[in-house]
Amino acid sequence: MPELSAADASELILLTGATGYVGGRLLQVLESRGTRLRCLARRPEVLRERVSETTEVVYGDVLEPETLLPALTGVKVAYYLIHSMGESGSFEENDRRAAEHFARAAREAGVERIIYLGGLGDEAESLSPHLRSRQEVGRILRSSGVPVIEFRASIVIGSGSLSFEMIRSLVERLPVMVTPKWVMRAAQPIAIEDLIAYLTEALEIPLPESRTFEIGGADQVSYAEIMRVYARCRGMRVRMIPVPVLTPYLSSLWLGLVTPLYARIGRKLIESIVHSTVVQDERARDTFSVEPMGIESAIQRALNNEEREFAETRWSDAVSSSGQVRSWSGVRFGNRLVDARSTTVACPPEIAFQPIQRIGGQTGWYACNWLWHLRGWMDLLVGGIGVRRGRAHPERLRVGDTIDFWRVEAFEPNRRLRLAAEMKLPGRAWLEFEVKEDAQGSTISQTAMFDPVGLWGRLYWYAVCPLHYFVFAGMLKNIARAAERMQAAESSSKPSLSR
């Protein structure tokens, strides 16, 4: 990968989508190269803990045009890695408005180049709404007059990527599966490492005018072949029984049952992959130095990376993975409803906090896990995310991480964890834990808070109140027990002093 010259390194680059899967990987590579970097984020507090000290994080929302010009001022090259696939509502209209706002602000700020990641698809076909929107965004950005490099890519293979998670879940959980027609569609998957190489090299190639490049891996394969390659890499066997008709809607429900994809994401993904997404224009191979790897190498690298502590970035950790960020502007909330409990444990705060830091994911919620999963299924039925996002690491946490259908809003090691709910609710909800040292050891406080919207919000809270006694009371009791077991284990592991 070419290195930036000293002159280039001093030029300011703007990165959008840094909390997303591709943007998060690109962020790490640009920082490692010494790039002078500014990141645009709707929630800067989520991103600040993930960037180096030299990277600037500023507030900005592409749907709020007044926030863009200050963020783009002084920028030479801007990466546009924003899309609305994870959002509900009219994502096409949101994408259109966002691109128009960004293009206008980039032109006014004097940006010299925009690098955009879109999707492969033959424009002559009747494309899915998602692919159609991705290509429309490219046209809008080019209309600004700022030179644009638009990459059009097929599915991305890498640890934590949306497509890889779907393939892995299907093969691992269904040794025999009923497969719809779309599994035979041709694709040209690209490894995340190769995609990032294209994106970084795009900073340096000459660009007198806008260019569109179709990029993919070395192999053109069907989704069925991708699943067979995955199974072979894992030493497994997979059998497929084709069925003639399975609509995108039914397929999305099927994926929602057996993969981490919830129906809203699954439906948009399937609507896109019913089209062939293969490279027809090879100019990228002549222009860039990237030598893309084949599908087996891409899957093997993804598996190897996943066997490390955790994937560097995950699709579900993107802020947009919960859907469109809900605006509460103008909503009148009633009195906040609170369920507060506390208990004392005979151990220091650093021990008392350990069970709290491990909550969710594989650890579970310490009480009535079946009820948490039932709530997740109910959330899926109304278009929510369910509980299957899990968590990136079984112990480590950062602000912005997802834990099932919660997101970490505040985190102070050994002291405080506040989770904001991202399930479908008639209001806003938080779950907070706080640990304080006292004479007996530590006090653990657990607080569930709910801001109801109107009558339905209050009815919802009071309807679930009887369950709170079992769930929240049991949770706190078992967290305390887990902390005391950890304290006992630590004490027994210390060597005793003989007289």
Side-chain angles (χ1 to χ4, degrees):
M1 186 180 297
E3 292 295 327
L4 288 173
S5 67
D8 291 334
S10 66
E11 292 168 338
L12 184 60
I13 308 300
L14 180 78
L15 176 61
T16 65
T19 61
Y21 179 71
V22 174
R25 297 292 180 97
L26 181 59
L27 168 67
Q28 296 171 359
V29 171
L30 292 176
E31 287 185 335
S32 71
R33 293 173 48 157
T35 307
R36 187 171 163 234
L37 196 60
R38 176 185 292 165
C39 293
L40 182 81
R42 289 186 296 188
R43 293 177 58 185
E45 71 278 5
V46 170
L47 193 56
R48 287 197 176 103
E49 291 192 9
R50 307 184 182 200
V51 303
S52 71
E53 294 180 356
T54 59
T55 296
E56 181 185 3
V57 179
V58 299
Y59 172 77
D61 188 334
V62 287
L63 295 177
E64 298 175 9
E66 68 278 5
T67 67
L68 297 179
L69 187 57
L72 285 160
T73 298
V75 168
K76 181 182 180 184
V77 179
Y79 283 98
Y80 193 81
L81 305 180
I82 295 172
H83 65 80
S84 305
M85 187 171 180
E87 299 186 355
S88 55
S90 178
F91 72 90
E92 289 182 272
E93 177 59 26
N94 285 342
D95 276 344
R96 185 178 302 119
R97 289 170 49 218
E100 289 170 349
H101 295 161
F102 193 86
R104 188 181 308 117
R107 181 180 64 246
E108 292 178 10
V111 173
E112 298 179 19
R113 178 177 303 190
I114 296 173
I115 302 172
Y116 166 62
L117 177 61
L120 269 175
D122 188 344
E123 293 183 74
E125 294 183 18
S126 178
L127 296 176
S128 71
H130 176 66
L131 285 178
R132 186 171 63 238
S133 176
R134 304 316 302 131
Q135 297 189 3
E136 181 187 22
V137 166
R139 290 192 293 272
I140 292 170
L141 294 176
R142 289 192 294 273
S143 71
S144 68
V146 178
V148 176
I149 293 180
E150 177 183 353
F151 290 111
R152 293 183 178 179
S154 184
I155 64 173
V156 179
I157 301 295
S159 56
S161 77
L162 177 66
S163 301
F164 182 75
E165 288 296 318
M166 180 186 76
I167 297 297
R168 182 182 68 167
S169 297
L170 288 173
V171 175
E172 301 259 358
R173 299 179 184 182
L174 296 175
V176 178
M177 67 180 79
V178 175
T179 55
K181 287 182 178 180
W182 57 260
V183 303
M184 302 310 297
R185 293 292 185 184
Q188 198 159 342
I190 185 168
I192 182 62
E193 294 90 344
D194 292 333
L195 175 57
I196 297 302
Y198 276 117
L199 289 169
T200 52
E201 196 171 334
L203 286 169
E204 301 157 16
I205 67 166
L207 186 66
E209 60 185 10
S210 294
R211 301 279 301 276
T212 298
F213 297 100
E214 297 183 352
I215 57 175
D219 301 321
Q220 293 186 6
V221 291
S222 69
Y223 284 82
E225 290 170 313
I226 296 172
M227 287 189 275
R228 291 189 183 101
V229 171
Y230 179 93
R232 186 165 63 249
C233 289
R234 292 281 288 154
M236 303 171 65
R237 295 183 66 186
V238 61
R239 293 178 176 84
M240 302 180 196
I241 303 172
V243 294
V245 177
L246 196 59
T247 66
Y249 175 73
L250 292 176
S251 292
S252 68
L253 295 179
W254 172 56
L255 289 178
L257 289 171
V258 297
T259 78
L261 278 65
Y262 32 101
R264 172 168 37 85
I265 289 285
R267 185 157 57 251
K268 292 174 184 175
L269 178 65
I270 292 167
E271 286 173 348
S272 298
I273 64 181
V274 295
H275 302 283
S276 294
T277 52
V278 297
V279 173
Q280 298 177 337
D281 184 339
E282 297 286 352
R283 283 181 296 173
R285 300 293 293 270
D286 300 328
T287 306
F288 295 86
S289 64
V290 182
E291 291 292 336
M293 67 184 76
I295 183 61
E296 186 159 353
S297 296
I299 288 177
Q300 193 60 63
R301 285 181 66 87
L303 289 170
N304 291 342
N305 289 338
E306 206 161 47
E307 287 170 1
R308 299 175 186 175
E309 290 184 354
F310 55 93
E312 293 173 343
T313 59
R314 302 188 307 159
W315 73 271
S316 59
D317 281 339
V319 171
S320 62
S321 74
S322 62
Q324 187 171 359
V325 175
R326 191 169 180 183
S327 172
W328 298 103
S329 176
V331 175
R332 182 176 181 179
F333 290 99
N335 295 326
R336 178 168 293 183
L337 303 169
V338 176
D339 182 292
R341 305 167 188 273
S342 64
T343 190
T344 300
V345 291
C347 53
E350 59 269 21
I351 299 295
F353 196 77
Q354 284 186 33
I356 296 168
Q357 189 163 322
R358 298 174 181 178
I359 202 166
Q362 293 298 315
T363 299
W365 293 87
Y366 294 102
C368 303
N369 277 323
W370 67 274
L371 278 175
W372 290 95
H373 285 285
L374 177 61
R375 181 63 180 86
W377 281 110
M378 293 170 63
D379 196 51
L380 282 173
L381 291 175
V382 295
I385 56 178
V387 296
R388 288 167 303 163
R389 290 190 303 190
R391 48 181 293 163
H393 190 276
E395 296 179 15
R396 299 178 189 172
L397 286 179
R398 300 176 299 185
V399 171
D401 281 355
T402 53
I403 302 180
D404 297 332
F405 46 41
W406 304 85
R407 189 176 296 272
V408 178
E409 190 172 86
F411 176 62
E412 299 174 44
N414 301 328
R415 183 176 178 272
R416 185 168 70 117
L417 171 65
R418 185 171 71 242
L419 305 175
E422 291 191 337
M423 72 283 277
K424 298 284 187 179
L425 287 170
R428 304 179 298 186
W430 297 266
L431 181 60
E432 183 169 80
F433 300 92
E434 191 169 10
V435 175
K436 292 183 179 180
E437 188 172 11
D438 61 25
Q440 295 177 289
S442 300
T443 296
I444 303 175
S445 299
Q446 172 188 285
T447 308
M449 296 164 282
F450 184 64
D451 275 346
V453 175
L455 177 62
W456 285 112
R458 298 183 72 83
L459 289 176
Y460 168 83
W461 174 266
Y462 290 118
V464 298
C465 264
L467 297 176
H468 289 175
Y469 176 80
F470 299 102
V471 177
F472 291 140
M475 183 190 305
L476 182 61
K477 180 173 68 175
N478 290 329
I479 285 172
R481 287 177 176 174
E484 289 169 345
R485 286 196 300 269
M486 291 175 182
Q487 175 66 29
E490 182 168 299
S491 299
S492 64
S493 66
K494 292 180 179 179
S496 59
L497 297 177
S498 57
R499 292 185 178 270

